[in-house]
Amino acid sequence: MSSKNLTCFKAYDIRGKLGEELNEDIAYRIGRAYGQYLKPKTVVVGGDVRETSESLKTAVGNGLRDEGVDVVDIGMVGTEEVYFATSHLEASGGIEVTASHNPIDYNGMKPIRENSKPISGDTGLLDIKRLAEEGDFAPADPAARGQLIKQSTLDAYVEHLLGYVDVAQLKPFKIVVNAGNGAAGHVIDALESHLPFEFIKVHHEPDPTFPNGIPNPLLVENRGPTRDAVLQHGADLGIAWDGDFDRCFFFDEKGEFIEGYYLVGLLAEAFLIKEPGGKVVHDPRLTWNTIDIAEQCGGEAVQSKTGHAFIKERMRKEDAIYGGEMSAHHYFRDFFYCDSGMIPWLLVTELMCRKNATLSSMMQECIARFPSPGEINREVADAKAAIANVRDHFKADALEIDETDGVSMIFENWRFNLRMSNTEPVVRLNVESRADKVLMQAKTDEILALLDS
């Protein structure tokens, strides 16, 4: 095979436009390279609902098998089902074929190693890329070829999910669930008989054409169907997922979308009630609410750099019970330190029952204490210079300057974080204040004016 520069390898995973960037030949090479680099015995493979996921999954599986690796194909699943199956089956690694919320002409892969550990640029992904590019593979030996085993781990996964809550404590809530025609629907169906909830299912059936748009509830224009169904049915809450359901998004009983930041605090509380003194890991973008709740519950908040590989690594190091990012990624120690889009909503419903409170009332208090406009993206010509300009403008008054991720500046009654995007020519701004919405808005406007200058 000739050497070829593969542009589908990113910092934490593999994603590319179908055809040139990612096709069956490239998927086969990735399988061979993964097998050659990690020398695994057994690898779990799964794929999301996209039209090309099945053929790419077969190709990566063939590459693995030609390296003598046994492949366990668990079918059409979300990313976390591969995380679960890899540890549950004690496999040497796993690969989910998914493009999550990318456009319809994309696909990708999320590879992991033993114990569902992430593989990122620092932990082998670049080595796999190099081997796949070189394509220097020995001729496949049919006698040494790995086996293909088709197996469902759905029942064991559902049983694991139910272990996070006391089902007897749950009330008969009415819940809108929006799978976005992605992979989440079959898990809701499997959970349904075990829970006292009435599910109102929106865009529930998996459909590779995504007739209702690519499932990405972070985009404001995608929130309407969930909000409308909550209001129409008088539901207690609404939940929407992205395509591979490793992120979940919440709507309260009024149909209001809840910012991911405030959910990190809520989930920290849910865990610290059960395990006082535990540690929770959070990203540096917005922090005060999480720190405040951790302290109130007798726990400890630990800051980590943004990004799933960093959060998972820090959680392992600290033996943290939970980790959360405001981007709606939530990580759980008992889920092999991996992110899940199913565990969060189960915990939130249990907390609502425990407190006998609506979701909006539980959120209102946090939002009032630490108001924030949410993350604001600004296109700038020179991100480094723009961040330096803002830093210089405020540095004389700052009580603390933290450069864990971009620059965070802390003042008596407000703080902000400004960081460069890893993927786009934008800077990302997050501002919060201590119970002062007017101050928060004024400082947000001041920073945006500096960025625009």
Side-chain angles (χ1 to χ4, degrees):
M1 288 186 188
S2 60
S3 181
K4 175 179 183 175
N5 182 33
L6 297 178
T7 55
C8 58
F9 279 80
K10 310 298 177 197
Y12 305 121
D13 56 17
I14 296 160
R15 296 193 290 284
K17 203 165 181 176
L18 291 162
E20 270 304 290
E21 279 197 298
L22 188 61
N23 54 39
E24 288 173 37
D25 171 56
I26 292 169
Y28 174 83
R29 287 165 173 248
I30 290 168
R32 297 277 323 235
Y34 180 108
Q36 200 175 81
Y37 176 69
L38 284 167
K39 303 196 168 23
K41 192 171 172 303
T42 310
V43 171
V44 171
V45 298
D48 69 11
V49 307
R50 290 178 185 245
E51 259 165 320
T52 51
S53 292
E54 188 61 36
S55 58
L56 291 171
K57 183 179 72 172
T58 301
V60 78
N62 282 334
L64 287 162
R65 293 173 66 200
D66 282 350
E67 284 293 323
V69 180
D70 290 339
V71 170
V72 181
D73 182 348
I74 61 168
M76 193 282 287
V77 294
T79 298
E80 69 189 69
E81 290 181 84
V82 168
Y83 295 159
F84 172 79
T86 299
S87 284
H88 176 70
L89 300 172
E90 298 179 1
S92 324
I95 299 173
E96 164 81 348
V97 177
T98 179
S100 185
H101 58 279
N102 282 74
I104 200 150
D105 53 346
Y106 277 69
N107 214 326
M109 296 180 197
K110 292 183 178 176
I112 50 170
R113 45 196 307 159
E114 77 288 345
N115 303 321
S116 309
K117 285 182 186 164
I119 302 178
S120 65
D122 308 330
T123 54
L125 200 59
L126 296 178
D127 299 283
I128 292 169
K129 176 184 189 234
R130 177 180 51 78
L131 292 169
E133 284 175 345
E134 288 166 1
D136 187 16
F137 307 120
D141 173 4
R145 194 163 198 248
Q147 285 182 291
L148 174 64
I149 303 136
K150 296 209 171 193
Q151 185 176 347
S152 170
T153 51
L154 182 62
D155 290 348
Y157 164 64
V158 164
E159 190 183 333
H160 179 88
L161 292 179
L162 292 167
Y164 287 85
V165 291
D166 179 357
V167 176
Q169 295 285 317
L170 300 177
K171 294 176 180 168
F173 285 147
K174 194 184 280 191
I175 303 177
V176 169
V177 287
N178 184 348
N181 303 114
H186 75 280
V187 179
I188 294 299
D189 292 342
L191 281 166
E192 194 164 19
S193 63
H194 301 278
L195 297 167
F197 304 143
E198 179 191 338
F199 290 120
I200 291 132
K201 299 172 182 178
V202 177
H203 307 332
H204 191 70
E205 295 308 316
D207 187 333
T209 66
F210 295 124
N212 301 291
I214 302 290
N216 183 12
L218 261 188
L219 301 177
V220 175
E221 60 269 26
N222 288 354
R223 296 176 189 168
T226 313
R227 179 190 63 232
D228 296 348
V230 168
L231 295 173
Q232 184 195 333
H233 294 274
D236 294 284
L237 74 158
I239 305 147
W241 291 271
D242 62 356
D244 61 336
F245 72 84
D246 61 352
R247 293 179 303 151
C248 71
F249 302 84
F250 288 78
F251 296 75
D252 68 20
E253 76 284 0
K254 298 169 185 171
E256 293 290 325
F257 181 81
I258 292 166
E259 285 294 339
Y261 168 42
Y262 300 107
L263 276 158
V264 174
L266 198 63
L267 289 167
E269 183 183 355
F271 273 109
L272 292 171
I273 286 169
K274 297 180 183 196
E275 192 171 312
K279 291 183 181 180
V280 294
V281 172
H282 61 89
D283 67 85
R285 289 174 280 188
L286 294 166
T287 65
W288 277 349
N289 182 57
T290 311
I291 293 165
D292 191 61
I293 285 175
E295 282 174 1
Q296 278 179 29
C297 297
E300 186 188 338
V302 178
Q303 182 170 288
S304 158
K305 206 171 167 183
T306 306
H308 84 102
F310 298 116
I311 299 257
K312 288 170 181 174
E313 196 180 322
R314 191 65 193 265
M315 282 182 70
R316 283 177 194 273
K317 189 180 159 191
E318 301 281 348
D319 191 31
I321 189 166
Y322 162 72
E325 290 182 278
M326 54 175 282
S327 56
H329 281 286
H330 302 282
Y331 309 85
F332 305 93
R333 182 178 67 197
D334 295 342
F335 196 62
F336 330 107
Y337 300 96
C338 290
D339 36 339
S340 164
M342 287 291 161
I343 298 167
W345 69 266
L346 287 165
L347 287 165
V348 168
T349 54
E350 186 187 44
L351 201 59
M352 286 166 68
C353 297
R354 214 182 256 263
K355 292 187 155 194
N356 196 22
T358 61
L359 191 50
S360 67
S361 66
M362 292 196 319
M363 292 284 115
Q364 258 163 355
E365 201 186 320
C366 303
I367 294 167
R369 279 211 313 268
F370 302 104
S372 169
E375 189 159 83
I376 299 167
N377 293 324
R378 248 331 188 257
E379 265 192 52
V380 290
D382 182 344
K384 266 192 180 145
I387 291 172
N389 181 36
V390 172
R391 191 183 191 282
D392 291 345
H393 178 83
F394 288 107
K395 71 179 176 193
D397 298 325
L399 300 176
E400 196 184 321
I401 299 173
D402 174 24
E403 300 189 56
T404 303
D405 206 345
V407 62
S408 296
M409 300 182 89
I410 292 118
F411 309 86
E412 192 175 353
N413 290 313
W414 73 287
R415 65 178 290 283
F416 75 88
N417 171 270
L418 187 62
R419 56 193 276 276
M420 280 193 278
S421 163
N422 296 321
T423 49
E424 303 163 82
V426 298
V427 291
R428 306 194 196 280
L429 171 67
N430 285 283
V431 182
E432 62 184 322
S433 74
R434 293 193 189 278
D436 191 336
K437 215 168 172 179
V438 175
L439 175 69
M440 177 270 291
Q441 197 52 59
K443 291 302 181 184
T444 302
D445 295 342
E446 190 179 343
I447 296 169
L448 291 175
L450 286 168
L451 291 174
D452 294 341
S453 68

